[in-house]
Amino acid sequence: MNHSVFAKLIISLSALCLAVPAASAQTLTGYDVMKKADEVDTGTTGSYTATMTLLSKNGSTRVREVVCRSRDFGGVTKSVIVFRTPKDVAGVGYLTWDYDEKDGVKKDSDNWLYMPAMKKVRRISGSDSGGNFMGTDFTYDDMGDRGLTKDTFTLLGEESAGGTGCYKVECRAKDTTEKNPRRILWIRKDNFVMQKGEFYDKQNNLQRELICSGITLIDGIWTTSVMTMKNIVTGHSTVIEMKDVHYNQNVDDSIFTVASVERGAVK
Amino acid sequence: MKKIHIIFCMILAAAGISVSAQEASFSGSVKSAAGVYVYGEDNAGHVSLAEETVSGTLDASAGSCSAYATGNVSFDALAAAQTGTLSAADGLSSQLGEAWFAWTSAAFGDGLTAGIKAGRQITAWGKADGIRIADVLCPQDLTTLYASTYSESRLGVDALKLNLSGTVFSADAYWIPVFRPSALPLESTNPLRKIVIPESVTVSGTTIPVTLGSIERPELTLAAGSYAGRVSFWLPAIDFSLYGYYGWDDTPVVTYSLVMSGYTPTGITVSGNYYRYGMAGFDAALPAGPFVFRAESAFFIERAFARTAETVLAGGSPYLRKNQLMSLAGIDWTRSGWTVTAQYYEDIVPGWDDTLDRRMRAPGATLSVSRSFLSDTLTLALSGAVNWNDFDSYASLSADYALTDQVTLTLAADGFFPGPDGDGEYGVYKELSNVRLNGVYRF
């Protein structure tokens, strides 16, 4: 299990799933579109339960469920994520302090992991940006929590996806050794929420495809309810469903501390 | 033992009743394990492990209060068979791992949280993996080589804990009124017993039997408690903790006495006593890119060390008090499903003399490499340790496969290898090298 990737995944998941209309109709560049998508309002606090269903090519399924709480402290977003299932990782908790990009530089997040079987909190690396997490088909990079300085963006045009008008943006990583150096994203024109994504490998072959659905307003914030990532090569896919989503509610600051994670305050 | 069984069953029954009535959860597992020795003329091919374990955990909370209890019941078929009666009762054992209640309040302002935790609890200290440096609060379960998690390798202490924590710090104070020693492999059916206490020794060309005498525990008085404290800080650039402990050493100092028949020794009796010591320690963890650097150190003040059997049998005192310094440095690297950890440690007794039943220095190193495959359903892991003094070593290779979200199978092999000039600390276990298969169902 790659814990640090997961911690980042959830942070990125929040940023990706939640968006508000942020632009008027005008001529935009690829960078403009992605900047607006990156600046979407995610609320001061957020809480949700995410169910990740892993589907293999032969039809077998595995289910992971996590509960998440997050709060934007201004310059740093703190999140705590706790596993409910499967049972062998139930109670495993992650605390992440994710820092905003500043002067074109994004500082590595601070991450702590609590494993009930080990009875202690462990500091974990905050820079792992590759690899799948928990067997899902999602990675940290897939979810876009990478700032805007690591890619160059090209607006390929406008195209309908999921029955909605979208900007089609090509993202090319400046570091060509990355797992997916080329991505094509469909960003909705009305609210700058991602509708679809394609992820290409180093040989420029389509590797994975992301489909977002159930995009609805919750507490005044656009929220993606279902994300399906399919690995074209292996036939494996992952469906993430968001439940019990709430924003801007009172969340106790003290739960975003290592001591709280160690106590198992979030269940 | 029956009493413990009844208590444990009552806990399980209470859990079943209350789960639907309040914010509480009950979970557990059924584990079956079997293994075989693979080394030694007398051992190879013999069953090393045949055990079934049922575990249960109750986790309840209501507002600012919470309660937690976990325990297990095990049947060791190997022990039952060795007693000759092959009865279930002979192989049955149970253990109350933890049972505590806690109260926590965030009503102190400025982000401060205060709390109390009372009852049997397991607490881990330090940043080391698998090496005991400052992690002295909870005694060890030394009766088995097959503990798969930290919780399985430690025994809970009956303690009162006070806690005060803020955004970046936490301070804990412990009072442990009742001494609990490490569990030693002294049962006649335990294969580790002959390593701790040999069946016989040769004195002046004569082989005489060794018998186990008494191991005296401290009196259960209010003044005989242990005390501990920890202050931890978690900052963006570094985590660090300071530790203090004054209390009982959880492993006894072993001493020897001759059984005489006239002027002829006819046996040796091994007995033991527990002694107090003080400890001051610290640890730190520093993330740097894909790496996390770890350090831990503990200074033991006036710890009692056993003296050699020859010294004691010649009339010397059974122990000497010396200071001890243990330190560890480690590094973790995580990337794309790979996890690699490496550690180096030192264990030094300043002022050591050659009557002590240990060396002045006991350095060593550990290495662990793991990688997950098949959507994290398969994990392969290789871990090992080497003692620098004798270059004896230990290696473990394991494969964990999640058959479903509920069932996990583990195939593992443990090897103990003597050094070039002697068995060393790991090599003495060489005949216990084994291959084992576990299956666990979690609910």
Side-chain angles (χ1 to χ4, degrees):
Chain A
M1 186 167 70
N2 189 332
H3 302 293
S4 57
V5 171
F6 182 72
K8 288 188 166 188
L9 166 71
I10 296 297
I11 295 297
S12 306
L13 194 64
S14 303
L16 180 68
C17 296
L18 316 173
V20 294
S24 58
Q26 56 183 301
T27 303
L28 299 173
T29 65
Y31 178 84
D32 293 337
V33 172
M34 295 308 297
K35 190 168 190 299
K36 289 179 182 300
D38 189 58
E39 291 174 348
V40 296
D41 179 18
T42 59
T44 302
T45 68
S47 65
Y48 60 84
T49 300
T51 302
M52 297 175 282
T53 304
L54 285 59
L55 301 115
S56 70
K57 191 176 180 179
N58 63 17
S60 65
T61 61
R62 312 255 177 173
V63 179
R64 286 95 176 83
E65 184 178 274
V66 297
V67 58
C68 177
R69 305 279 184 272
S70 64
R71 176 182 276 274
D72 184 351
F73 285 84
V76 56
T77 300
K78 298 181 180 180
S79 295
V80 59
I81 304 110
V82 176
F83 275 87
R84 286 179 171 167
T85 62
K87 286 296 184 182
D88 62 339
V89 293
V92 168
Y94 297 91
L95 175 66
T96 300
W97 295 359
D98 194 55
Y99 299 95
D100 293 347
E101 193 173 272
K102 191 176 181 181
D103 300 328
V105 177
K106 192 171 190 314
K107 180 185 169 189
D108 284 346
S109 59
D110 292 311
N111 303 286
W112 294 269
L113 165 70
Y114 175 69
M115 289 186 286
M118 299 300 292
K119 292 291 179 187
K120 64 181 172 184
V121 170
R122 186 176 186 122
R123 187 78 179 231
I124 54 177
S125 165
S127 70
D128 190 359
S129 61
N132 299 344
F133 173 72
M134 282 291 286
T136 73
D137 296 280
F138 289 86
T139 69
Y140 162 61
D141 279 341
D142 293 339
M143 310 306 290
D145 182 26
R146 47 190 280 127
L148 296 169
T149 59
K150 293 182 178 177
D151 301 284
T152 57
F153 305 102
T154 304
L155 182 63
L156 299 179
E158 298 180 9
E159 192 174 293
S160 177
T164 307
C166 295
Y167 295 110
K168 184 178 178 182
V169 181
E170 181 187 59
C171 313
R172 283 190 178 273
K174 293 174 182 173
D175 179 0
T176 55
T177 63
E178 288 191 13
K179 186 177 179 179
N180 294 119
R182 179 173 176 249
R183 296 170 294 141
I184 297 177
L185 307 179
W186 281 256
I187 307 295
R188 277 175 58 151
K189 294 171 68 176
D190 58 348
N191 57 17
F192 287 89
V193 173
M194 184 189 291
Q195 184 72 49
K196 179 183 170 184
E198 291 179 348
F199 304 83
Y200 293 82
D201 63 17
K202 292 172 188 171
Q203 286 72 44
N204 202 27
N205 296 317
L206 178 60
Q207 187 184 53
R208 283 167 294 150
E209 184 179 60
L210 173 67
I211 302 293
C212 299
S213 60
I215 299 172
T216 55
L217 273 172
I218 297 177
D219 296 339
I221 292 177
W222 286 102
T223 304
T224 301
S225 301
V226 181
M227 288 177 288
T228 303
M229 178 73 86
K230 181 169 185 179
N231 189 313
I232 306 299
V233 179
T234 64
H236 195 276
S237 60
T238 300
V239 180
I240 297 181
E241 296 175 83
M242 311 285 283
K243 296 183 296 186
D244 304 325
V245 181
H246 300 287
Y247 303 105
N248 298 321
Q249 292 192 332
N250 185 31
V251 177
D252 187 354
D253 288 359
S254 70
I255 69 169
F256 303 106
T257 64
V258 175
S260 172
V261 172
E262 199 171 42
R263 261 197 319 271
V266 176
K267 293 175 180 171
Chain B
M1 187 62 75
K2 278 184 179 176
K3 191 175 180 181
I4 298 174
H5 290 161
I6 292 168
I7 292 171
F8 184 62
C9 291
M10 287 171 65
I11 291 171
L12 298 185
I17 293 167
S18 62
V19 161
S20 60
Q22 57 180 296
E23 194 175 333
S25 65
F26 180 72
S27 59
S29 66
V30 177
K31 179 179 179 180
S32 183
V36 63
Y37 293 118
V38 295
Y39 181 85
E41 287 183 12
D42 295 335
N43 262 15
H46 285 74
V47 174
S48 62
L49 177 67
E51 192 168 84
E52 276 68 51
T53 305
V54 180
S55 303
T57 299
L58 169 66
D59 192 352
S61 62
S64 57
C65 299
S66 59
Y68 182 88
T70 183
N72 65 67
V73 176
S74 295
F75 173 65
D76 183 347
L78 201 58
Q82 287 177 355
T83 61
T85 60
L86 202 60
S87 69
D90 285 337
L92 271 180
S93 64
S94 63
Q95 187 174 2
L96 181 64
E98 293 186 82
W100 51 259
F101 68 90
W103 169 79
T104 305
S105 176
F108 292 84
D110 298 327
L112 291 177
T113 299
I116 297 171
K117 186 173 175 182
R120 177 161 291 190
Q121 49 197 285
I122 295 177
T123 299
W125 278 2
K127 297 285 192 287
D129 274 342
I131 303 294
R132 198 183 196 200
I133 304 290
D135 188 21
V136 299
L137 204 61
C138 290
Q140 299 171 281
D141 183 355
L142 301 172
T143 62
T144 179
L145 293 172
Y146 308 119
S148 58
T149 66
Y150 179 88
S151 297
E152 288 182 12
S153 69
R154 292 303 171 106
L155 306 175
V157 288
D158 304 299
L160 175 66
K161 172 188 174 185
L162 306 179
N163 169 263
L164 180 68
S165 62
T167 304
V168 297
F169 83 97
S170 179
D172 303 325
Y174 293 86
W175 175 43
I176 307 170
V178 180
F179 170 67
R180 190 175 191 198
S182 288
L184 301 173
L186 302 179
E187 295 290 335
S188 60
T189 55
N190 194 314
L192 296 171
R193 179 187 159 115
K194 63 183 178 184
I195 294 168
V196 178
I197 301 173
E199 292 176 350
S200 62
V201 294
T202 301
V203 178
S204 304
T206 304
T207 299
I208 56 176
V210 177
T211 56
L212 178 64
S214 63
I215 296 182
E216 298 294 334
R217 295 191 185 196
E219 290 183 350
L220 296 179
T221 64
L222 201 60
S226 296
Y227 308 90
R230 176 186 78 161
V231 181
S232 296
F233 295 88
W234 300 287
L235 306 171
I238 186 174
D239 294 355
F240 68 94
S241 299
L242 302 173
Y243 302 97
Y245 175 82
Y246 176 71
W248 297 96
D249 204 332
D250 54 34
T251 52
V253 170
V254 173
T255 187
Y256 311 89
S257 58
L258 279 174
V259 179
M260 304 295 289
S261 176
Y263 292 103
T264 306
T266 58
I268 290 179
T269 300
V270 177
S271 55
N273 283 284
Y274 296 93
Y275 297 96
R276 284 180 182 270
Y277 67 89
M279 186 278 289
F282 89 97
D283 68 31
L286 296 88
F291 300 100
V292 175
F293 296 94
R294 294 179 282 116
E296 185 174 339
S297 189
F299 185 69
F300 296 84
I301 305 157
E302 293 288 299
R303 192 173 197 175
F305 289 97
R307 304 179 82 183
T308 61
E310 292 80 8
T311 303
V312 177
L313 292 174
S317 65
Y319 69 94
L320 288 178
R321 285 194 178 274
K322 297 285 183 183
N323 295 331
Q324 179 188 20
L325 178 65
M326 297 182 73
S327 299
L328 175 142
I331 183 171
D332 304 336
W333 176 81
T334 306
R335 179 68 37 128
S336 301
W338 286 93
T339 301
V340 179
T341 68
Q343 301 179 124
Y344 176 81
Y345 60 89
E346 281 278 0
D347 176 359
I348 301 172
V349 176
W352 173 89
D353 74 50
D354 58 9
T355 67
L356 292 181
D357 193 18
R358 59 155 289 162
R359 289 175 166 146
M360 183 176 72
R361 283 184 62 214
T366 71
L367 176 68
S368 173
V369 180
S370 68
R371 173 77 163 96
S372 56
F373 301 90
L374 304 175
S375 301
D376 280 6
T377 55
L378 174 66
T379 302
L380 301 181
L382 171 66
S383 60
V386 59
N387 274 333
W388 242 232
N389 279 336
D390 297 298
F391 291 103
D392 55 313
S393 58
Y394 159 76
S396 174
L397 183 64
S398 68
D400 290 278
Y401 179 65
L403 194 62
T404 69
D405 281 341
Q406 290 75 37
V407 176
T408 302
L409 304 176
T410 301
L411 178 63
D414 303 308
F416 301 91
F417 307 99
D421 299 319
D423 279 346
E425 217 170 286
Y426 292 115
V428 295
Y429 298 103
K430 58 183 181 291
E431 294 196 349
L432 301 182
S433 298
N434 67 88
V435 175
R436 56 199 157 84
L437 180 65
N438 297 342
V440 184
Y441 177 89
R442 294 182 177 88
F443 55 90

